[in-house]
Amino acid sequence: MSNSSPTAPIDRLPRPQELVDSRLVRLSLAVVVAPLRFLAFWAAVALPFLYLPLLVGGLDGQQTTAFLALLLANVVALLLGHEYGQ
């Protein structure tokens, strides 16, 4: 027969403060991440409509910079909003 206990040793169990902290962190992340994903998703949907006036008028100088900035913002929004609604 073995003298080992089927339960976890006391030193491996999380302390009550650690449980509260981890729950608080998860809740805080959920409160911040969900709206961020929502906004990023819809920004990724809407930003391409801003390309049209730039492309119709032609790209020169500052318009090229604005187009590239919009493109970069769209890529970032796509990455952040990718998991929205799943």
Side-chain angles (χ1 to χ4, degrees), residues 12-28:
R12 285 189 169 187
L13 294 175
R15 294 183 191 112
Q17 186 62 35
E18 290 173 355
L19 288 173
V20 169
D21 289 344
S22 66
R23 287 181 187 152
L24 183 61
V25 167
R26 279 188 266 141
L27 180 62
S28 299

Side-chain angles (χ1 to χ4, degrees), residues 13-73:
L13 294 175
R15 294 183 191 112
Q17 186 62 35
E18 290 173 355
L19 288 173
V20 169
D21 289 344
S22 66
R23 287 181 187 152
L24 183 61
V25 167
R26 279 188 266 141
L27 180 62
S28 299
L29 283 175
V31 167
V32 171
V33 170
L36 180 65
R37 281 188 181 146
F38 169 80
L39 290 174
F41 173 82
W42 287 109
V45 169
L47 280 173
F49 291 106
L50 297 176
Y51 299 162
L52 295 176
L54 290 172
L55 293 174
V56 168
L59 295 177
D60 62 347
Q62 287 189 348
Q63 291 176 340
T64 303
T65 305
F67 177 75
L68 292 175
L70 279 172
L71 190 63
L72 178 64

